[in-house]
Each structure stands twice: as structure tokens, then as C-alpha cells.
Amino acid sequence: MTFEPTLDFARQLDAQDPLRDFRNQFYIPPAPHGGDSIYLCGNSLGLQPRTARAAAEQEFTAWEQMAVEGHFNGDSPWMHYHETLADATARVVGARPLEVVVMNTLTVNLHLLLISFYRPTATRYKVLMEGGAFPSDQYALESQVKLHGFAPDEAIVELQPREGEYTLRTEDIEAKIRELGDSLATVIMGGINYYTGQVYDMAAITRAGHAVGATVGFDLAHAAGNIPLHLHDWDVDYACWCTYKYLNSGPGGTSGVFVHERFAYQPDLLRLAGWWGHDASERFKMRKGFRPMVGAAGWQLSNGQILPMAVHRAALDIVEAAGGMEALRRKSELLTGYLEFLIQRLELPASVLEIITPADPAARGCQLSLLVHQNGRRVFDELSEAGVVADWREPNVIRLAPVPLYNSFQDVYRAAELLTKAFLVKADDLKN
């Protein structure tokens, strides 16, 4: 599509957008000086679905009226509540329902998976991850290698971009995997890098890791609900994600786990065990001897977090109603592409502003990361004051994430206008 730098064009795109009405299913926070904000921060916290409160209230009512019997009675008995999320969750990440379970929170789940899939030996003990991964992943890996008696500086190998570049090349990731060879125990990377917004070639990374005998997993915090995923077909071993970003399930919302069905019928696979992961047909016999549920459900520890799961189910229903990830992706590519087009119209030198997110739509999701070399914090603060809710990441990156479920093309146009003013460029330059 050939873009035009005008408000009329943005309005035309909105009029043609088959997902335009889904914006009305979310609460848009107010701007400082009235009206709706331009919310471009779904990569940190998605907006509240208008159905979320009623979904939680339904479970409050069940608790009020049934108390403990709510586990077994009512419209959605709590005993099996997590099972009601499996089909929609599997569609979001490209899995089979057996391979997914909703439970806990993200870093808890990462630790649980690493117990099973990081099984180092004296010679095969290294972990490969991207340099500058989100700190929680770094801390988790540090503690896991220490748990096995290794020094993080020796066991953890961090991938860095080539000099003068901001993102990783797939061939360099594959080359490092081959170089580590028999010493590599597991690869654990973000599906999308939180800082740059780069989408990694998860299929290629998985193939390369398996070729040297390593397990391969992904933290999909910035990928789930953002881009189409095909975890089963890519043969990924394990993955986890949060649901409060692009899946709009609320602050601290519950997390998802994927374990490939190749491991579904391996009850002896080492894991941390809990009552809720025990064979449901025997769970209430209260006997010793853990027998895991088949599939990802066998990694559960405790009963489900019903109130967060209720909100999550309401949010998943919206994704389903919108046509799923393929429909969201089509709009996302247009939205992000239009934002990129308008920012490039500023014609600022690279010494002032760079977009460090890949230009290839296949290598990015909703997010554009702007590296602001001069007065970055001032630019961010001016955007915030003008009603643009974006995200600042030290030392000098502004992240903008137009989300297809609730952002419009007019949002993108107006954000670019305000960015222009923040850089002290006349707004009329956008139209020249």
C-alpha cells in the first residue's frame, strides 16, 4: 500500500478497517488535558476490556453464593477452569491444546520449565541467550546455572549484534549455536526482543539448537498476542509468556506455558511437582507418589487463579471474535508501517533519531523503538504531556506500540504529529 501523510488518509484507513469497532471494547485512558489519550503502550500493559469487570464479578458471585462448592458447581466450575482456556490459548501460540496450560506468572513458569529443560552435565552446561534480554530472564538464568553449581559468567553466553548494528542476524545466532556445539545445554531467547522489537526466527533457531543436541525455549512475553506463532510446527521444546501485554489480561495477569507434545507422555521427566499437576483421576485419593497429568498440565503446581483467569478468558474472547492472530497481524503490519512512514517523513539525521526496530515487517511486531540521541527524555516527556502514552527505556529509547485491537490509524497520525512538535519540526512538514 502507498501511504499518504494526511489526516484524511488516516481516516480513510480507519473507515476501511474491519477491526475498527473493537476499539470500543476497551477503556481508553484520558489524556492530561481532556479527551482520550493516544495509548501506544500495549507492549507494557494492554488496555482493560470492557467485559473484564463482569467476568471477574461472575466469579465473585459464584464465590459469594457457593463458596467451596464453586469448585464443582456453577457455569464454570473452578476445578476445571483452566481447561476452558486451552483451545483459545493454543490458537494464539500455534499449539495443540494438550501442549498449553495457563497458570502462575511468567518468571515463575520460566523457572519451572528450566528445571525440566536445562539439565546440564559436566561438559554440556552452557546457556545461549540474547544480550540485553529483559532483566527478569537474566536473573532467572543466573540463578538456574548457580543452582547446578556453575558460574554465570562461564555458563551463560550472550549474543551481541555486530558492531554498528542494533539487532541480531539469524546467521550469527545459528553460527554461535554451531560453535558451542556439544557444550550447549539449552537456548532460551525472547521471541521478540523487548528493547529493539526484533522478532527472532524461532523456527531457524530451534532447528539449529536441536542439530547440536540442545533444548530450545522462548520467552514470548512480547510475542504472544502480537505476532502469529507456530510453536508446535516449529518443534519448539518449551515456552512461556505473560498475558497482560498484547493479550490485555490485566496487571500481574496469569501466564501461559507451552511444552511440546513430544514430552507429554514422559512422566519421568524431571520437574517440580504439585498437587494440581497430579493425575486428576487420582488427585483426591491423596496418595504419595506424583503421577503428572499428560501434557503441559503436568507442570501445574497449585489450583488456578480464578479471578485473573476470568479476566484472561474475557480478553481471549475478544481475540477470537476479531478473527484470531492472522486478522490482528494484517492490521498490525499496516499500523506499524504507517507509523514508520510518518516518522521517516521527519527526515531527521541518524545523529538525532534512529528506528532500531527492523524495517522488514516479518522481523517486527507492533512495536517501533526510537533511539533518540539528543534530548530523548525531553521528547518523551513532551509526548506524555500531549497525551501520548508511550514507554521510555534507558538510556535513550522511546517504544511506541500501535496495537490493532484498539489503536486507530488516526492515533498513529496524531502521535506522529506530536512527535514532530516534540522534535521542534513544524507540523506542516508532515504534509510536504
Side-chain angles (χ1 to χ4, degrees), residues 41-82:
C41 208
N43 55 338
S44 283
L45 180 66
L47 294 182
Q48 182 186 141
R50 291 180 179 270
T51 51
R53 184 175 281 105
E57 184 61 37
Q58 180 177 332
E59 303 313 321
F60 274 115
T61 300
W63 182 15
E64 171 191 331
Q65 296 182 354
M66 291 185 286
V68 69
E69 295 302 324
H71 285 93
F72 309 101
N73 298 305
D75 294 334
S76 296
W78 303 328
M79 191 77 182
H80 306 287
Y81 201 98
H82 64 280

mmCIF file of all heavy atoms in Angstrom, residues 41-82:
data_model
loop_
_atom_site.group_PDB
_atom_site.id
_atom_site.type_symbol
_atom_site.label_atom_id
_atom_site.label_comp_id
_atom_site.label_asym_id
_atom_site.label_seq_id
_atom_site.Cartn_x
_atom_site.Cartn_y
_atom_site.Cartn_z
ATOM 1 N N CYS A 41 1.170 1.927 24.395
ATOM 2 C CA CYS A 41 1.978 1.248 25.411
ATOM 3 C C CYS A 41 1.474 -0.160 25.708
ATOM 4 O O CYS A 41 1.708 -0.700 26.781
ATOM 5 C CB CYS A 41 1.999 2.078 26.695
ATOM 6 S SG CYS A 41 3.482 1.838 27.688
ATOM 7 N N GLY A 42 0.810 -0.769 24.746
ATOM 8 C CA GLY A 42 0.332 -2.129 24.938
ATOM 9 C C GLY A 42 1.444 -3.146 25.057
ATOM 10 O O GLY A 42 1.204 -4.279 25.479
ATOM 11 N N ASN A 43 2.658 -2.752 24.701
ATOM 12 C CA ASN A 43 3.799 -3.650 24.890
ATOM 13 C C ASN A 43 4.215 -3.724 26.360
ATOM 14 O O ASN A 43 5.017 -4.578 26.733
ATOM 15 C CB ASN A 43 4.984 -3.217 24.032
ATOM 16 C CG ASN A 43 5.384 -1.772 24.275
ATOM 17 O OD1 ASN A 43 4.598 -0.960 24.756
ATOM 18 N ND2 ASN A 43 6.615 -1.437 23.951
ATOM 19 N N SER A 44 3.685 -2.840 27.199
ATOM 20 C CA SER A 44 3.918 -2.910 28.640
ATOM 21 C C SER A 44 2.672 -3.389 29.379
ATOM 22 O O SER A 44 2.749 -4.274 30.221
ATOM 23 C CB SER A 44 4.334 -1.543 29.184
ATOM 24 O OG SER A 44 5.674 -1.267 28.882
ATOM 25 N N LEU A 45 1.529 -2.793 29.074
ATOM 26 C CA LEU A 45 0.267 -3.217 29.679
ATOM 27 C C LEU A 45 -0.860 -2.923 28.707
ATOM 28 O O LEU A 45 -1.064 -1.775 28.303
ATOM 29 C CB LEU A 45 0.009 -2.484 31.000
ATOM 30 C CG LEU A 45 -1.293 -2.862 31.703
ATOM 31 C CD1 LEU A 45 -1.265 -4.310 32.177
ATOM 32 C CD2 LEU A 45 -1.578 -1.934 32.882
ATOM 33 N N GLY A 46 -1.580 -3.960 28.336
ATOM 34 C CA GLY A 46 -2.729 -3.776 27.463
ATOM 35 C C GLY A 46 -3.876 -3.089 28.175
ATOM 36 O O GLY A 46 -3.946 -3.051 29.414
ATOM 37 N N LEU A 47 -4.786 -2.550 27.390
ATOM 38 C CA LEU A 47 -5.929 -1.843 27.965
ATOM 39 C C LEU A 47 -6.953 -2.809 28.565
ATOM 40 O O LEU A 47 -6.976 -4.000 28.251
ATOM 41 C CB LEU A 47 -6.597 -0.986 26.891
ATOM 42 C CG LEU A 47 -5.760 0.181 26.348
ATOM 43 C CD1 LEU A 47 -6.571 0.975 25.333
ATOM 44 C CD2 LEU A 47 -5.288 1.084 27.481
ATOM 45 N N GLN A 48 -7.813 -2.250 29.413
ATOM 46 C CA GLN A 48 -8.825 -3.069 30.079
ATOM 47 C C GLN A 48 -10.003 -3.331 29.133
ATOM 48 O O GLN A 48 -10.643 -2.394 28.661
ATOM 49 C CB GLN A 48 -9.343 -2.372 31.332
ATOM 50 C CG GLN A 48 -10.366 -3.202 32.091
ATOM 51 C CD GLN A 48 -11.001 -2.464 33.250
ATOM 52 O OE1 GLN A 48 -12.202 -2.596 33.511
ATOM 53 N NE2 GLN A 48 -10.203 -1.666 33.945
ATOM 54 N N PRO A 49 -10.308 -4.606 28.882
ATOM 55 C CA PRO A 49 -11.534 -4.898 28.125
ATOM 56 C C PRO A 49 -12.764 -4.479 28.931
ATOM 57 O O PRO A 49 -12.801 -4.621 30.166
ATOM 58 C CB PRO A 49 -11.482 -6.427 27.964
ATOM 59 C CG PRO A 49 -10.057 -6.814 28.182
ATOM 60 C CD PRO A 49 -9.525 -5.818 29.182
ATOM 61 N N ARG A 50 -13.761 -3.980 28.255
ATOM 62 C CA ARG A 50 -14.978 -3.576 28.947
ATOM 63 C C ARG A 50 -15.712 -4.772 29.566
ATOM 64 O O ARG A 50 -16.536 -4.599 30.460
ATOM 65 C CB ARG A 50 -15.905 -2.822 27.987
ATOM 66 C CG ARG A 50 -15.355 -1.458 27.587
ATOM 67 C CD ARG A 50 -16.285 -0.715 26.636
ATOM 68 N NE ARG A 50 -15.743 0.594 26.293
ATOM 69 C CZ ARG A 50 -15.981 1.715 26.968
ATOM 70 N NH1 ARG A 50 -16.767 1.684 28.031
ATOM 71 N NH2 ARG A 50 -15.453 2.856 26.579
ATOM 72 N N THR A 51 -15.391 -5.963 29.100
ATOM 73 C CA THR A 51 -16.026 -7.167 29.637
ATOM 74 C C THR A 51 -15.283 -7.740 30.843
ATOM 75 O O THR A 51 -15.756 -8.700 31.470
ATOM 76 C CB THR A 51 -16.078 -8.247 28.545
ATOM 77 O OG1 THR A 51 -14.755 -8.399 27.975
ATOM 78 C CG2 THR A 51 -17.053 -7.872 27.448
ATOM 79 N N ALA A 52 -14.126 -7.178 31.176
ATOM 80 C CA ALA A 52 -13.284 -7.772 32.223
ATOM 81 C C ALA A 52 -13.960 -7.735 33.593
ATOM 82 O O ALA A 52 -13.953 -8.714 34.335
ATOM 83 C CB ALA A 52 -11.939 -7.054 32.281
ATOM 84 N N ARG A 53 -14.546 -6.600 33.925
ATOM 85 C CA ARG A 53 -15.129 -6.452 35.262
ATOM 86 C C ARG A 53 -16.287 -7.437 35.453
ATOM 87 O O ARG A 53 -16.407 -8.079 36.512
ATOM 88 C CB ARG A 53 -15.599 -5.009 35.474
ATOM 89 C CG ARG A 53 -16.126 -4.740 36.871
ATOM 90 C CD ARG A 53 -16.481 -3.278 37.087
ATOM 91 N NE ARG A 53 -15.295 -2.459 37.341
ATOM 92 C CZ ARG A 53 -14.734 -1.628 36.469
ATOM 93 N NH1 ARG A 53 -15.259 -1.498 35.254
ATOM 94 N NH2 ARG A 53 -13.670 -0.925 36.784
ATOM 95 N N ALA A 54 -17.114 -7.579 34.430
ATOM 96 C CA ALA A 54 -18.244 -8.503 34.543
ATOM 97 C C ALA A 54 -17.762 -9.948 34.654
ATOM 98 O O ALA A 54 -18.364 -10.764 35.365
ATOM 99 C CB ALA A 54 -19.171 -8.350 33.337
ATOM 100 N N ALA A 55 -16.683 -10.269 33.951
ATOM 101 C CA ALA A 55 -16.153 -11.626 34.022
ATOM 102 C C ALA A 55 -15.658 -11.950 35.420
ATOM 103 O O ALA A 55 -15.902 -13.042 35.954
ATOM 104 C CB ALA A 55 -15.017 -11.790 32.996
ATOM 105 N N ALA A 56 -14.952 -10.991 36.032
ATOM 106 C CA ALA A 56 -14.491 -11.204 37.406
ATOM 107 C C ALA A 56 -15.673 -11.214 38.371
ATOM 108 O O ALA A 56 -15.714 -12.028 39.306
ATOM 109 C CB ALA A 56 -13.492 -10.118 37.794
ATOM 110 N N GLU A 57 -16.629 -10.328 38.137
ATOM 111 C CA GLU A 57 -17.796 -10.251 39.012
ATOM 112 C C GLU A 57 -18.580 -11.564 39.010
ATOM 113 O O GLU A 57 -19.133 -11.977 40.052
ATOM 114 C CB GLU A 57 -18.707 -9.109 38.564
ATOM 115 C CG GLU A 57 -19.915 -8.867 39.458
ATOM 116 C CD GLU A 57 -19.521 -8.486 40.878
ATOM 117 O OE1 GLU A 57 -18.516 -7.747 41.048
ATOM 118 O OE2 GLU A 57 -20.218 -8.916 41.825
ATOM 119 N N GLN A 58 -18.616 -12.236 37.885
ATOM 120 C CA GLN A 58 -19.303 -13.525 37.825
ATOM 121 C C GLN A 58 -18.685 -14.521 38.811
ATOM 122 O O GLN A 58 -19.402 -15.284 39.466
ATOM 123 C CB GLN A 58 -19.235 -14.079 36.401
ATOM 124 C CG GLN A 58 -19.921 -15.427 36.233
ATOM 125 C CD GLN A 58 -19.899 -15.901 34.787
ATOM 126 O OE1 GLN A 58 -19.861 -15.100 33.859
ATOM 127 N NE2 GLN A 58 -19.914 -17.201 34.600
ATOM 128 N N GLU A 59 -17.360 -14.486 38.907
ATOM 129 C CA GLU A 59 -16.700 -15.412 39.839
ATOM 130 C C GLU A 59 -16.818 -14.931 41.278
ATOM 131 O O GLU A 59 -16.881 -15.743 42.205
ATOM 132 C CB GLU A 59 -15.236 -15.603 39.441
ATOM 133 C CG GLU A 59 -15.037 -16.100 38.021
ATOM 134 C CD GLU A 59 -15.946 -17.274 37.656
ATOM 135 O OE1 GLU A 59 -16.155 -18.162 38.519
ATOM 136 O OE2 GLU A 59 -16.467 -17.300 36.530
ATOM 137 N N PHE A 60 -16.864 -13.619 41.492
ATOM 138 C CA PHE A 60 -17.156 -13.112 42.840
ATOM 139 C C PHE A 60 -18.541 -13.594 43.297
ATOM 140 O O PHE A 60 -18.733 -13.998 44.448
ATOM 141 C CB PHE A 60 -17.112 -11.586 42.863
ATOM 142 C CG PHE A 60 -15.745 -11.010 43.080
ATOM 143 C CD1 PHE A 60 -15.117 -10.266 42.091
ATOM 144 C CD2 PHE A 60 -15.077 -11.210 44.282
ATOM 145 C CE1 PHE A 60 -13.849 -9.730 42.292
ATOM 146 C CE2 PHE A 60 -13.817 -10.673 44.497
ATOM 147 C CZ PHE A 60 -13.198 -9.938 43.496
ATOM 148 N N THR A 61 -19.501 -13.561 42.380
ATOM 149 C CA THR A 61 -20.849 -14.006 42.711
ATOM 150 C C THR A 61 -20.867 -15.500 43.024
ATOM 151 O O THR A 61 -21.538 -15.949 43.976
ATOM 152 C CB THR A 61 -21.812 -13.683 41.556
ATOM 153 O OG1 THR A 61 -21.817 -12.274 41.329
ATOM 154 C CG2 THR A 61 -23.225 -14.152 41.879
ATOM 155 N N ALA A 62 -20.147 -16.271 42.236
ATOM 156 C CA ALA A 62 -20.072 -17.709 42.488
ATOM 157 C C ALA A 62 -19.444 -17.982 43.856
ATOM 158 O O ALA A 62 -19.906 -18.860 44.608
ATOM 159 C CB ALA A 62 -19.265 -18.385 41.386
ATOM 160 N N TRP A 63 -18.409 -17.243 44.176
ATOM 161 C CA TRP A 63 -17.755 -17.371 45.485
ATOM 162 C C TRP A 63 -18.730 -17.007 46.604
ATOM 163 O O TRP A 63 -18.843 -17.701 47.621
ATOM 164 C CB TRP A 63 -16.523 -16.470 45.479
ATOM 165 C CG TRP A 63 -15.681 -16.478 46.716
ATOM 166 C CD1 TRP A 63 -15.689 -17.367 47.748
ATOM 167 C CD2 TRP A 63 -14.675 -15.513 47.037
ATOM 168 N NE1 TRP A 63 -14.758 -17.024 48.700
ATOM 169 C CE2 TRP A 63 -14.115 -15.892 48.292
ATOM 170 C CE3 TRP A 63 -14.196 -14.377 46.393
ATOM 171 C CZ2 TRP A 63 -13.100 -15.153 48.900
ATOM 172 C CZ3 TRP A 63 -13.180 -13.647 46.995
ATOM 173 C CH2 TRP A 63 -12.639 -14.029 48.245
ATOM 174 N N GLU A 64 -19.442 -15.906 46.383
ATOM 175 C CA GLU A 64 -20.416 -15.437 47.375
ATOM 176 C C GLU A 64 -21.515 -16.466 47.622
ATOM 177 O O GLU A 64 -21.889 -16.737 48.771
ATOM 178 C CB GLU A 64 -21.030 -14.122 46.875
ATOM 179 C CG GLU A 64 -22.208 -13.606 47.683
ATOM 180 C CD GLU A 64 -22.919 -12.462 46.977
ATOM 181 O OE1 GLU A 64 -22.266 -11.725 46.206
ATOM 182 O OE2 GLU A 64 -24.141 -12.316 47.191
ATOM 183 N N GLN A 65 -22.037 -17.055 46.569
ATOM 184 C CA GLN A 65 -23.227 -17.891 46.680
ATOM 185 C C GLN A 65 -22.926 -19.372 46.893
ATOM 186 O O GLN A 65 -23.770 -20.105 47.424
ATOM 187 C CB GLN A 65 -24.087 -17.717 45.426
ATOM 188 C CG GLN A 65 -24.618 -16.300 45.269
ATOM 189 C CD GLN A 65 -25.508 -16.129 44.049
ATOM 190 O OE1 GLN A 65 -25.658 -17.050 43.239
ATOM 191 N NE2 GLN A 65 -26.103 -14.955 43.920
ATOM 192 N N MET A 66 -21.743 -19.803 46.474
ATOM 193 C CA MET A 66 -21.445 -21.239 46.569
ATOM 194 C C MET A 66 -20.253 -21.552 47.452
ATOM 195 O O MET A 66 -20.075 -22.698 47.868
ATOM 196 C CB MET A 66 -21.207 -21.818 45.174
ATOM 197 C CG MET A 66 -22.450 -21.863 44.305
ATOM 198 S SD MET A 66 -22.159 -22.685 42.726
ATOM 199 C CE MET A 66 -21.205 -21.429 41.847
ATOM 200 N N ALA A 67 -19.390 -20.558 47.684
ATOM 201 C CA ALA A 67 -18.167 -20.789 48.456
ATOM 202 C C ALA A 67 -17.424 -22.000 47.888
ATOM 203 O O ALA A 67 -17.233 -22.086 46.682
ATOM 204 C CB ALA A 67 -18.481 -20.927 49.934
ATOM 205 N N VAL A 68 -17.057 -22.937 48.720
ATOM 206 C CA VAL A 68 -16.205 -24.030 48.269
ATOM 207 C C VAL A 68 -16.864 -24.869 47.170
ATOM 208 O O VAL A 68 -16.174 -25.463 46.332
ATOM 209 C CB VAL A 68 -15.815 -24.931 49.464
ATOM 210 C CG1 VAL A 68 -17.003 -25.709 49.995
ATOM 211 C CG2 VAL A 68 -14.659 -25.860 49.089
ATOM 212 N N GLU A 69 -18.184 -24.905 47.137
ATOM 213 C CA GLU A 69 -18.869 -25.693 46.118
ATOM 214 C C GLU A 69 -18.680 -25.119 44.714
ATOM 215 O O GLU A 69 -18.977 -25.784 43.726
ATOM 216 C CB GLU A 69 -20.361 -25.797 46.448
ATOM 217 C CG GLU A 69 -20.651 -26.566 47.720
ATOM 218 C CD GLU A 69 -20.105 -27.990 47.685
ATOM 219 O OE1 GLU A 69 -20.120 -28.613 46.605
ATOM 220 O OE2 GLU A 69 -19.646 -28.472 48.739
ATOM 221 N N GLY A 70 -18.176 -23.890 44.638
ATOM 222 C CA GLY A 70 -17.876 -23.319 43.334
ATOM 223 C C GLY A 70 -16.819 -24.086 42.575
ATOM 224 O O GLY A 70 -16.705 -23.953 41.348
ATOM 225 N N HIS A 71 -16.046 -24.897 43.288
ATOM 226 C CA HIS A 71 -15.053 -25.728 42.601
ATOM 227 C C HIS A 71 -15.711 -26.784 41.712
ATOM 228 O O HIS A 71 -15.101 -27.229 40.732
ATOM 229 C CB HIS A 71 -14.150 -26.426 43.625
ATOM 230 C CG HIS A 71 -13.136 -25.521 44.254
ATOM 231 N ND1 HIS A 71 -13.376 -24.868 45.445
ATOM 232 C CD2 HIS A 71 -11.895 -25.149 43.851
ATOM 233 C CE1 HIS A 71 -12.329 -24.137 45.759
ATOM 234 N NE2 HIS A 71 -11.409 -24.286 44.812
ATOM 235 N N PHE A 72 -16.955 -27.157 42.057
ATOM 236 C CA PHE A 72 -17.581 -28.278 41.362
ATOM 237 C C PHE A 72 -18.902 -27.911 40.704
ATOM 238 O O PHE A 72 -19.432 -28.710 39.917
ATOM 239 C CB PHE A 72 -17.825 -29.422 42.356
ATOM 240 C CG PHE A 72 -16.597 -29.775 43.155
ATOM 241 C CD1 PHE A 72 -16.455 -29.316 44.456
ATOM 242 C CD2 PHE A 72 -15.581 -30.525 42.594
ATOM 243 C CE1 PHE A 72 -15.318 -29.627 45.197
ATOM 244 C CE2 PHE A 72 -14.442 -30.835 43.319
ATOM 245 C CZ PHE A 72 -14.310 -30.384 44.624
ATOM 246 N N ASN A 73 -19.458 -26.760 41.013
ATOM 247 C CA ASN A 73 -20.775 -26.380 40.511
ATOM 248 C C ASN A 73 -20.717 -25.017 39.820
ATOM 249 O O ASN A 73 -19.694 -24.339 39.834
ATOM 250 C CB ASN A 73 -21.790 -26.335 41.666
ATOM 251 C CG ASN A 73 -21.956 -27.697 42.320
ATOM 252 O OD1 ASN A 73 -22.261 -28.670 41.647
ATOM 253 N ND2 ASN A 73 -21.739 -27.761 43.631
ATOM 254 N N GLY A 74 -21.837 -24.633 39.220
ATOM 255 C CA GLY A 74 -21.911 -23.346 38.539
ATOM 256 C C GLY A 74 -21.620 -23.471 37.061
ATOM 257 O O GLY A 74 -21.391 -24.568 36.515
ATOM 258 N N ASP A 75 -21.617 -22.330 36.376
ATOM 259 C CA ASP A 75 -21.413 -22.324 34.931
ATOM 260 C C ASP A 75 -19.994 -22.729 34.543
ATOM 261 O O ASP A 75 -19.785 -23.357 33.500
ATOM 262 C CB ASP A 75 -21.717 -20.927 34.371
ATOM 263 C CG ASP A 75 -23.180 -20.552 34.500
ATOM 264 O OD1 ASP A 75 -24.021 -21.482 34.540
ATOM 265 O OD2 ASP A 75 -23.479 -19.351 34.570
ATOM 266 N N SER A 76 -19.019 -22.354 35.349
ATOM 267 C CA SER A 76 -17.611 -22.682 35.067
ATOM 268 C C SER A 76 -16.944 -23.149 36.366
ATOM 269 O O SER A 76 -16.276 -22.371 37.036
ATOM 270 C CB SER A 76 -16.872 -21.462 34.501
ATOM 271 O OG SER A 76 -17.392 -21.074 33.258
ATOM 272 N N PRO A 77 -17.139 -24.398 36.729
ATOM 273 C CA PRO A 77 -16.556 -24.888 37.985
ATOM 274 C C PRO A 77 -15.051 -24.632 38.028
ATOM 275 O O PRO A 77 -14.336 -24.865 37.055
ATOM 276 C CB PRO A 77 -16.872 -26.384 37.959
ATOM 277 C CG PRO A 77 -18.082 -26.502 37.086
ATOM 278 C CD PRO A 77 -17.915 -25.454 36.043
ATOM 279 N N TRP A 78 -14.590 -24.145 39.155
ATOM 280 C CA TRP A 78 -13.191 -23.739 39.277
ATOM 281 C C TRP A 78 -12.219 -24.904 39.130
ATOM 282 O O TRP A 78 -11.078 -24.718 38.727
ATOM 283 C CB TRP A 78 -12.973 -23.053 40.620
ATOM 284 C CG TRP A 78 -13.871 -21.868 40.829
ATOM 285 C CD1 TRP A 78 -14.352 -21.016 39.869
ATOM 286 C CD2 TRP A 78 -14.403 -21.401 42.067
ATOM 287 N NE1 TRP A 78 -15.143 -20.046 40.433
ATOM 288 C CE2 TRP A 78 -15.195 -20.265 41.790
ATOM 289 C CE3 TRP A 78 -14.285 -21.837 43.389
ATOM 290 C CZ2 TRP A 78 -15.857 -19.554 42.780
ATOM 291 C CZ3 TRP A 78 -14.943 -21.137 44.386
ATOM 292 C CH2 TRP A 78 -15.728 -20.008 44.085
ATOM 293 N N MET A 79 -12.672 -26.088 39.463
ATOM 294 C CA MET A 79 -11.804 -27.258 39.381
ATOM 295 C C MET A 79 -11.236 -27.429 37.974
ATOM 296 O O MET A 79 -10.101 -27.875 37.786
ATOM 297 C CB MET A 79 -12.607 -28.499 39.776
ATOM 298 C CG MET A 79 -11.771 -29.738 39.977
ATOM 299 S SD MET A 79 -10.923 -29.685 41.553
ATOM 300 C CE MET A 79 -10.005 -31.221 41.468
ATOM 301 N N HIS A 80 -12.023 -27.061 36.991
ATOM 302 C CA HIS A 80 -11.619 -27.273 35.598
ATOM 303 C C HIS A 80 -11.492 -25.958 34.829
ATOM 304 O O HIS A 80 -11.446 -25.964 33.594
ATOM 305 C CB HIS A 80 -12.639 -28.186 34.907
ATOM 306 C CG HIS A 80 -12.869 -29.477 35.624
ATOM 307 N ND1 HIS A 80 -11.941 -30.493 35.640
ATOM 308 C CD2 HIS A 80 -13.929 -29.903 36.372
ATOM 309 C CE1 HIS A 80 -12.406 -31.509 36.358
ATOM 310 N NE2 HIS A 80 -13.603 -31.172 36.824
ATOM 311 N N TYR A 81 -11.431 -24.843 35.558
ATOM 312 C CA TYR A 81 -11.493 -23.544 34.891
ATOM 313 C C TYR A 81 -10.354 -23.382 33.882
ATOM 314 O O TYR A 81 -10.559 -22.878 32.769
ATOM 315 C CB TYR A 81 -11.448 -22.419 35.926
ATOM 316 C CG TYR A 81 -12.000 -21.107 35.409
ATOM 317 C CD1 TYR A 81 -13.306 -20.732 35.688
ATOM 318 C CD2 TYR A 81 -11.215 -20.254 34.634
ATOM 319 C CE1 TYR A 81 -13.822 -19.538 35.215
ATOM 320 C CE2 TYR A 81 -11.726 -19.062 34.154
ATOM 321 C CZ TYR A 81 -13.029 -18.708 34.446
ATOM 322 O OH TYR A 81 -13.529 -17.538 33.959
ATOM 323 N N HIS A 82 -9.147 -23.802 34.257
ATOM 324 C CA HIS A 82 -8.001 -23.625 33.361
ATOM 325 C C HIS A 82 -8.202 -24.359 32.040
ATOM 326 O O HIS A 82 -7.670 -23.940 31.001
ATOM 327 C CB HIS A 82 -6.720 -24.112 34.043
ATOM 328 C CG HIS A 82 -6.716 -25.577 34.351
ATOM 329 N ND1 HIS A 82 -7.368 -26.104 35.438
ATOM 330 C CD2 HIS A 82 -6.137 -26.627 33.715
ATOM 331 C CE1 HIS A 82 -7.199 -27.414 35.470
ATOM 332 N NE2 HIS A 82 -6.463 -27.764 34.424
#
